[in-house]
Amino acid sequence: MTDATQASRITLVPDADAGELLTLRRAAFVTEAQQYNDPFIPPLTQTLAELRADLARDDVVTVGAWEGPRLVGSIRVELEENKATLGRLAVAPDMQGRGIGTSLLFAIIPYLPEAVTEIWVFTGKDSKENISMYAKHGFEQHHDETAGALTYTYLRRVLHEVEARSGTAGSADSRPG
């Protein structure tokens, strides 16, 4: 199995897996919290009830990557008219560096409504590895924005018409169906 296909299944995260998703995000975001010396970043403070409410929203899509029965990665997308905003891309610490995050970036495309023409993502300005990964996959730095003590870098990727409608940027295995 190649690194980019480490996850055996990528599908929507059901409410039944909310607890596992919460655990995955907390494990994955500890290093981000340490980097910014802020243990109160939203992925670490969100409650199970808040996460379940988020999973139930019509304007949010959460996709997970499983290796066997274990949830090893996830990505959350908030939809607004022609824009999708990625957030909380999380990969289990022991599974990082195997292409799961990249797989999730492309697996989300078939779940987007046809009206979506651009995908936005934000990460801490000092998260150089994250910024590099997004840039490698077609996201361009757009602007920085400060919220409290943190400065976020916002990146944007414009979807090409064929890619947006067919999901051709992802593998056939990642399409809903």
Side-chain angles (χ1 to χ4, degrees), residues 140-158:
E140 295 179 1
Q141 289 189 34
H142 193 270
H143 67 278
D144 290 342
E145 192 172 301
T146 301
L150 295 177
T151 299
Y152 296 99
T153 294
Y154 284 77
L155 301 97
R156 179 179 75 156
R157 178 174 175 211
V158 176

Side-chain angles (χ1 to χ4, degrees), residues 89-131:
L89 175 57
V91 177
D94 65 314
M95 299 295 282
Q96 292 176 2
R98 300 180 187 200
I100 295 168
T102 297
S103 293
L104 286 164
L105 277 178
F106 291 110
I108 198 68
I109 292 173
Y111 292 95
L112 302 177
E114 284 187 21
V116 171
T117 58
E118 56 188 39
I119 302 174
W120 287 80
V121 65
F122 63 93
T123 189
K125 183 178 180 168
D126 295 331
S127 299
K128 301 300 181 197
E129 287 182 20
N130 293 350
I131 293 169

Side-chain angles (χ1 to χ4, degrees), residues 15-91:
D15 182 77
D17 289 329
E20 190 170 358
L21 177 59
L22 188 67
T23 301
L24 168 69
R25 285 183 179 169
R26 287 183 175 169
F29 279 93
V30 165
T31 54
E32 192 88 357
Q34 290 171 332
Q35 179 176 353
Y36 292 99
N37 197 28
D38 184 357
F40 301 108
I41 61 174
L44 298 182
T45 60
Q46 185 177 38
T47 67
L48 183 58
E50 291 168 340
L51 176 60
R52 283 201 154 115
D54 196 58
L55 288 173
R57 288 176 49 187
D58 290 336
D59 64 336
V60 172
V61 176
T62 302
V63 174
W66 279 263
E67 182 58 35
R70 180 181 175 209
L71 181 63
V72 296
S74 71
I75 192 168
R76 176 192 185 276
V77 180
E78 188 166 5
L79 305 168
E80 183 183 348
E81 298 176 14
N82 70 330
K83 175 180 159 185
T85 302
L86 304 181
R88 304 213 177 154
L89 175 57
V91 177

